[in-house]
Amino acid sequence: MNKKHVILTVFGTRPEAIKMAPLIKALFASGEFTTKVCVTAQHREMLDQVLDIFDINPDYDLNIMKKGQTLAGITKLVLENIEKVLDHLKPDMVLVHGDTTTTFAASLAAFYAKIPVGHVEAGLRTFDKYFPYPEEINRKLTACIADIHFAPTSSNYNNLVNEGIDPEAIHITGNTAIDALKTTVLNDYRFKDALLRELDFSGKRVIAVTAHRRENLGEPLIDICNALKKIAKCYSDVEIVYPVHLNPAVQKPVKDILGNIPRIHLINPIQVQDMHNLMSRSYLVLTDSGGLQEEAPALGKPVLVLRNETERPEAVKAGTVKVIGTNCEKVVSETAALLDNEDDYQKMAHSVNPYGDGRASERIVAALRYRFRLTENKPEPFKQASY
Ligand code: UD1
Ligand code: UDP
């Protein structure tokens, strides 16, 4: 029997782990590859939470996280440490995900070692190099290096083709975020977090909030917090739940402004099932996260995006997501419109799935089988419903 091809998945942060977990499971389940996992641990606690839940035991852990790490620091440590892993394992392909600094640095290291790179969640663009920062450029640089591109949607595919990527090297797969979501949301779900267990989801309107992105640190995050404070003050039937990212540059302003405000609940990062079920029981989501912009529309929840632009225009087009920026008055007025006007709310509150159908991992495994000539059949692309 021929030796199996060795696939090394590399990731380092919470969202990468959540979105790579279903793919890792699918690779193991196929039995056709030798699947290995390397975590850079660009995140530590927030990564370990996900590894625990999905029962993933990394073969390599670079353990690079430092408090207040810089972009150059992360890049340097990933490059230096992963070189040894690649040299030891000699994989046939390295799979990376998305747009983090782990993604870019691991791709570069694989390129230096002349190992082919597969890019999961490829082709998302805002075309603005500083929004999101540094993710837009991380994702573009990874596309330059990658040999096979897994684009979630047809518009992501078009972005790559327009940049000169060979269409034959691109597969439209849907987003693995939706694969993960299919396994976590349950009607009778019991929250692990004590506060969420006690929250009155049927009697109150719960707003789920996350905000942590680098481009929002400083003034924009302060504006967001002040807006949340006003909303909580004006609406006695609203409860705001904000799991706060562990970055000290997020923790400090958020706790300084929003600590001890009635109806605002600041909690530690929660496990992914808690987060998905929190969104599914919430009235509305306010966020600057990329992942939440994909998940909440599938759950039929309106999303107000606390950014100036998005690399995920599909749900905006479908009408369930609105990009509102971070200006305090604007955040208050857009939120108030959805709290006060049932028609406006209902227009946004319908479930759409422009990002996937829960079969993205299956398509990626099929594309890898095609790439390694284990089959002659190219997988059928994911097709979005029209909205
Ligand atoms: C990173 C990614 C971003 C992604 C986000 C998801 C880059 C440049 N940024 O941003 O694309 O959206 O993850 O959350 O790749 N920290 C902890 N424990 C943890 C995680 C973080 O203490 O488990 C603290 C550390 O002090 C760390 C800081 O948060 O230095 C920032 O983490 P970092 O990965 O550099 O940036 P993020 O803003 O999390
Ligand atoms: N998430 C989570 N716990 C939290 C906050 C978010 O599990 O306390 C999940 C969320 O459902 C999504 C992912 O983490 O799947 C998003 O991660 P993050 O916001 O850190 O990164 P981004 O999406 O902005 O890259």
Side-chain angles (χ1 to χ4, degrees):
M1 201 176 124
N2 290 340
K3 208 169 142 278
K4 289 181 186 174
H5 293 99
V6 178
I7 308 273
L8 178 67
T9 55
V10 182
F11 51 94
T13 65
R14 169 173 66 190
E16 291 166 84
I18 292 170
K19 293 170 171 187
M20 283 298 241
L23 176 56
I24 291 167
K25 301 271 175 229
L27 282 165
F28 275 119
S30 89
E32 289 184 286
F33 301 100
T34 300
T35 304
K36 298 284 177 186
V37 176
C38 172
V39 293
T40 64
Q42 175 179 331
H43 284 175
R44 187 70 273 173
E45 304 90 321
M46 287 162 53
L47 172 76
D48 292 343
Q49 262 185 333
V50 184
L51 296 177
D52 267 8
I53 289 295
F54 289 107
D55 200 18
I56 294 172
N57 297 304
D59 300 281
Y60 305 93
D61 187 335
L62 309 183
N63 200 22
I64 66 154
M65 195 194 88
K66 294 197 176 0
K67 291 282 164 198
Q69 59 207 357
T70 62
L71 297 176
I74 303 168
T75 310
K76 171 180 172 275
L77 286 176
V78 173
L79 268 177
E80 274 176 4
N81 286 288
I82 207 165
E83 190 177 32
K84 294 164 223 157
V85 174
L86 299 178
D87 192 45
H88 172 252
L89 186 66
K90 298 190 173 38
D92 296 291
M93 179 167 287
V94 168
L95 286 183
V96 293
H97 180 279
D99 60 6
T100 70
T101 295
T102 284
T103 313
F104 162 59
S107 308
L108 185 61
F111 165 68
Y112 286 159
K114 296 191 175 166
I115 296 165
V117 172
H119 188 195
V120 182
E121 201 185 78
L124 286 69
R125 298 284 185 274
T126 60
F127 305 102
D128 180 335
K129 89 189 224 193
Y130 290 110
F131 288 94
Y133 167 82
E135 289 84 2
E136 175 77 0
I137 292 300
N138 279 344
R139 207 188 292 267
K140 265 186 101 163
L141 293 172
T142 305
C144 293
I145 294 170
D147 300 85
I148 180 164
H149 310 254
F150 304 106
T153 69
S154 55
S155 88
N156 305 149
Y157 170 94
N158 291 338
N159 291 338
L160 292 168
V161 172
N162 290 338
E163 286 170 14
I165 307 279
D166 176 6
E168 275 302 304
I170 312 171
H171 297 265
I172 305 176
T173 58
N175 198 308
T176 56
I178 308 301
D179 302 13
L181 197 65
K182 296 246 159 166
T183 66
T184 50
V185 178
L186 302 170
N187 286 337
D188 60 351
Y189 181 75
R190 184 176 152 79
F191 287 104
K192 294 182 185 70
D193 183 276
L195 177 120
L196 296 178
R197 267 205 307 272
E198 298 301 315
L199 209 60
D200 176 10
F201 284 94
S202 48
K204 299 289 178 108
R205 293 189 290 179
V206 173
I207 302 182
V209 178
T210 73
H212 64 83
R213 304 292 294 226
R214 262 189 166 77
E215 65 271 19
N216 278 344
L217 298 182
E219 207 58 42
L221 186 57
I222 292 170
D223 277 356
I224 292 168
C225 290
N226 284 327
L228 295 174
K229 201 164 150 181
K230 286 190 182 176
I231 295 161
K233 196 170 166 212
C234 292
Y235 292 89
S236 58
D237 70 328
V238 162
E239 301 284 334
I240 295 176
V241 181
Y242 184 169
V244 188
H245 188 293
L246 295 180
N247 189 346
V250 177
Q251 289 267 329
K252 180 156 179 13
V254 171
K255 290 191 171 157
D256 284 353
I257 302 171
L258 298 178
N260 299 317
I261 304 280
R263 295 187 290 281
I264 297 192
H265 310 278
L266 303 180
I267 54 178
N268 282 327
I270 48 181
Q271 289 184 353
V272 61
Q273 294 113 316
D274 269 11
M275 189 65 212
H276 289 171
N277 286 281
L278 166 63
M279 281 190 284
S280 120
R281 293 180 196 181
S282 290
Y283 184 76
L284 154 70
V285 175
L286 261 63
T287 189
D288 63 3
S289 153
L292 266 67
Q293 288 180 62
E294 294 153 351
E295 294 162 347
L299 299 169
K301 301 300 168 179
V303 183
L304 297 177
V305 177
L306 305 166
R307 296 198 202 176
N308 297 326
E309 35 203 324
T310 182
E311 65 280 62
R312 295 170 170 86
E314 292 85 351
V316 177
K317 195 168 160 243
T320 65
V321 168
K322 193 165 176 187
V323 179
I324 63 166
T326 56
N327 174 276
C328 178
E329 295 314 317
K330 177 85 172 154
V331 174
V332 173
S333 65
E334 293 286 351
T335 307
L338 294 180
L339 290 168
D340 295 341
N341 188 326
E342 183 63 19
D343 283 351
D344 283 5
Y345 180 80
Q346 287 306 335
K347 269 185 215 145
M348 286 183 78
H350 50 94
S351 165
V352 294
N353 276 303
Y355 299 109
D357 57 2
R359 295 179 46 219
S361 307
E362 184 187 312
R363 290 193 189 90
I364 294 170
V365 172
L368 290 170
R369 295 183 69 240
Y370 180 68
R371 157 102 193 178
F372 287 111
R373 299 183 194 286
L374 302 174
T375 174
E376 291 184 354
N377 304 321
K378 194 172 176 182
E380 287 295 317
F382 161 64
K383 288 199 178 65
Q384 283 169 255
S386 51
Y387 296 104

